[in-house]
Amino acid sequence: LDSLRGERVVIHGVGKHTQELAHVIAGYADRVVGFCDDDAQRQGSTLLGLPVWSPPGPQTATTVVVSSWIHEEEIVARATRAYPGKRVIGIYRSA
């Protein structure tokens, strides 16, 4: 997230991994505009006071950060299709 200054970031995934990293994500309120999740039961809720949308989320988002450890490669592949025109980054793949 440090390298994404000036971007409008959506975090994809609001499960346990994201919840455990919430204290880190909260420090980037200047660039994180919200969250997306494939799970319809999570859509419409909030995390850190920000909305949880279904993909592709808001049109204003420029970058999607996939927040998953175990299934990152699979989710990045799906997200690349689900977020046309947006940069998709896996936390661990790009680390």
PDB file of all heavy atoms in Angstrom, residues 6 16-17 22 28 46 52 57 60 67 83-84:
ATOM      1  N   GLY A   6      -1.632   8.042  -4.230  1.00  0.00           N
ATOM      2  CA  GLY A   6      -2.276   8.660  -5.376  1.00  0.00           C
ATOM      3  C   GLY A   6      -3.265   7.753  -6.086  1.00  0.00           C
ATOM      4  O   GLY A   6      -4.016   8.207  -6.944  1.00  0.00           O
ATOM      5  N   LYS A  16     -10.896 -13.520   6.959  1.00  0.00           N
ATOM      6  CA  LYS A  16     -10.001 -13.523   8.121  1.00  0.00           C
ATOM      7  C   LYS A  16      -8.683 -12.808   7.839  1.00  0.00           C
ATOM      8  O   LYS A  16      -8.196 -12.043   8.671  1.00  0.00           O
ATOM      9  CB  LYS A  16      -9.742 -14.968   8.561  1.00  0.00           C
ATOM     10  CG  LYS A  16      -8.880 -15.071   9.783  1.00  0.00           C
ATOM     11  CD  LYS A  16      -8.708 -16.511  10.222  1.00  0.00           C
ATOM     12  CE  LYS A  16      -7.819 -16.552  11.452  1.00  0.00           C
ATOM     13  NZ  LYS A  16      -7.604 -17.900  11.925  1.00  0.00           N
ATOM     14  N   HIS A  17      -8.088 -13.048   6.671  1.00  0.00           N
ATOM     15  CA  HIS A  17      -6.815 -12.419   6.323  1.00  0.00           C
ATOM     16  C   HIS A  17      -6.927 -10.896   6.385  1.00  0.00           C
ATOM     17  O   HIS A  17      -6.104 -10.227   7.004  1.00  0.00           O
ATOM     18  CB  HIS A  17      -6.376 -12.871   4.925  1.00  0.00           C
ATOM     19  CG  HIS A  17      -5.050 -12.354   4.510  1.00  0.00           C
ATOM     20  ND1 HIS A  17      -4.910 -11.188   3.799  1.00  0.00           N
ATOM     21  CD2 HIS A  17      -3.801 -12.840   4.723  1.00  0.00           C
ATOM     22  CE1 HIS A  17      -3.624 -10.993   3.575  1.00  0.00           C
ATOM     23  NE2 HIS A  17      -2.925 -11.968   4.124  1.00  0.00           N
ATOM     24  N   ALA A  22      -6.478  -5.477   9.262  1.00  0.00           N
ATOM     25  CA  ALA A  22      -7.274  -4.244   9.310  1.00  0.00           C
ATOM     26  C   ALA A  22      -6.506  -3.090   9.944  1.00  0.00           C
ATOM     27  O   ALA A  22      -6.607  -1.947   9.489  1.00  0.00           O
ATOM     28  CB  ALA A  22      -8.593  -4.482  10.037  1.00  0.00           C
ATOM     29  N   TYR A  28      -3.961   3.550   5.779  1.00  0.00           N
ATOM     30  CA  TYR A  28      -3.934   3.997   4.391  1.00  0.00           C
ATOM     31  C   TYR A  28      -5.292   4.541   3.942  1.00  0.00           C
ATOM     32  O   TYR A  28      -5.701   4.375   2.797  1.00  0.00           O
ATOM     33  CB  TYR A  28      -3.480   2.852   3.479  1.00  0.00           C
ATOM     34  CG  TYR A  28      -2.054   2.465   3.755  1.00  0.00           C
ATOM     35  CD1 TYR A  28      -1.754   1.436   4.635  1.00  0.00           C
ATOM     36  CD2 TYR A  28      -1.011   3.165   3.176  1.00  0.00           C
ATOM     37  CE1 TYR A  28      -0.439   1.098   4.919  1.00  0.00           C
ATOM     38  CE2 TYR A  28       0.305   2.834   3.452  1.00  0.00           C
ATOM     39  CZ  TYR A  28       0.582   1.808   4.320  1.00  0.00           C
ATOM     40  OH  TYR A  28       1.892   1.484   4.602  1.00  0.00           O
ATOM     41  N   THR A  46     -19.888  -3.234   5.949  1.00  0.00           N
ATOM     42  CA  THR A  46     -18.765  -2.308   5.995  1.00  0.00           C
ATOM     43  C   THR A  46     -17.607  -2.948   6.752  1.00  0.00           C
ATOM     44  O   THR A  46     -17.801  -3.859   7.552  1.00  0.00           O
ATOM     45  CB  THR A  46     -19.128  -0.978   6.687  1.00  0.00           C
ATOM     46  OG1 THR A  46     -19.516  -1.235   8.029  1.00  0.00           O
ATOM     47  CG2 THR A  46     -20.238  -0.241   5.941  1.00  0.00           C
ATOM     48  N   VAL A  52     -18.430  -2.530   1.537  1.00  0.00           N
ATOM     49  CA  VAL A  52     -18.023  -3.774   0.883  1.00  0.00           C
ATOM     50  C   VAL A  52     -18.958  -3.970  -0.309  1.00  0.00           C
ATOM     51  O   VAL A  52     -20.164  -4.112  -0.133  1.00  0.00           O
ATOM     52  CB  VAL A  52     -18.113  -4.990   1.832  1.00  0.00           C
ATOM     53  CG1 VAL A  52     -17.718  -6.269   1.090  1.00  0.00           C
ATOM     54  CG2 VAL A  52     -17.232  -4.789   3.057  1.00  0.00           C
ATOM     55  N   GLY A  57     -16.814  -3.277  -8.045  1.00  0.00           N
ATOM     56  CA  GLY A  57     -16.696  -2.152  -7.119  1.00  0.00           C
ATOM     57  C   GLY A  57     -16.908  -0.822  -7.823  1.00  0.00           C
ATOM     58  O   GLY A  57     -17.453  -0.767  -8.916  1.00  0.00           O
ATOM     59  N   THR A  60     -14.520   4.519  -9.807  1.00  0.00           N
ATOM     60  CA  THR A  60     -13.433   5.434  -9.481  1.00  0.00           C
ATOM     61  C   THR A  60     -12.172   4.726  -8.996  1.00  0.00           C
ATOM     62  O   THR A  60     -11.100   5.323  -8.969  1.00  0.00           O
ATOM     63  CB  THR A  60     -13.870   6.439  -8.404  1.00  0.00           C
ATOM     64  OG1 THR A  60     -14.275   5.719  -7.235  1.00  0.00           O
ATOM     65  CG2 THR A  60     -14.997   7.316  -8.899  1.00  0.00           C
ATOM     66  N   SER A  67      -6.433  -9.503  -1.049  1.00  0.00           N
ATOM     67  CA  SER A  67      -6.031  -9.810   0.315  1.00  0.00           C
ATOM     68  C   SER A  67      -6.340 -11.265   0.622  1.00  0.00           C
ATOM     69  O   SER A  67      -7.396 -11.615   1.141  1.00  0.00           O
ATOM     70  CB  SER A  67      -6.769  -8.891   1.296  1.00  0.00           C
ATOM     71  OG  SER A  67      -6.409  -9.197   2.620  1.00  0.00           O
ATOM     72  N   TYR A  83     -12.207  -7.183 -12.738  1.00  0.00           N
ATOM     73  CA  TYR A  83     -11.936  -5.751 -12.605  1.00  0.00           C
ATOM     74  C   TYR A  83     -11.296  -5.216 -13.880  1.00  0.00           C
ATOM     75  O   TYR A  83     -10.139  -4.798 -13.877  1.00  0.00           O
ATOM     76  CB  TYR A  83     -11.005  -5.493 -11.412  1.00  0.00           C
ATOM     77  CG  TYR A  83     -11.569  -5.900 -10.077  1.00  0.00           C
ATOM     78  CD1 TYR A  83     -11.290  -7.148  -9.530  1.00  0.00           C
ATOM     79  CD2 TYR A  83     -12.371  -5.026  -9.352  1.00  0.00           C
ATOM     80  CE1 TYR A  83     -11.797  -7.520  -8.294  1.00  0.00           C
ATOM     81  CE2 TYR A  83     -12.891  -5.387  -8.119  1.00  0.00           C
ATOM     82  CZ  TYR A  83     -12.597  -6.639  -7.600  1.00  0.00           C
ATOM     83  OH  TYR A  83     -13.112  -6.997  -6.378  1.00  0.00           O
ATOM     84  N   PRO A  84     -12.040  -5.197 -14.975  1.00  0.00           N
ATOM     85  CA  PRO A  84     -11.446  -4.747 -16.239  1.00  0.00           C
ATOM     86  C   PRO A  84     -10.965  -3.295 -16.146  1.00  0.00           C
ATOM     87  O   PRO A  84     -11.627  -2.434 -15.581  1.00  0.00           O
ATOM     88  CB  PRO A  84     -12.585  -4.894 -17.250  1.00  0.00           C
ATOM     89  CG  PRO A  84     -13.831  -4.913 -16.442  1.00  0.00           C
ATOM     90  CD  PRO A  84     -13.457  -5.481 -15.102  1.00  0.00           C
TER      91      PRO A  84
END
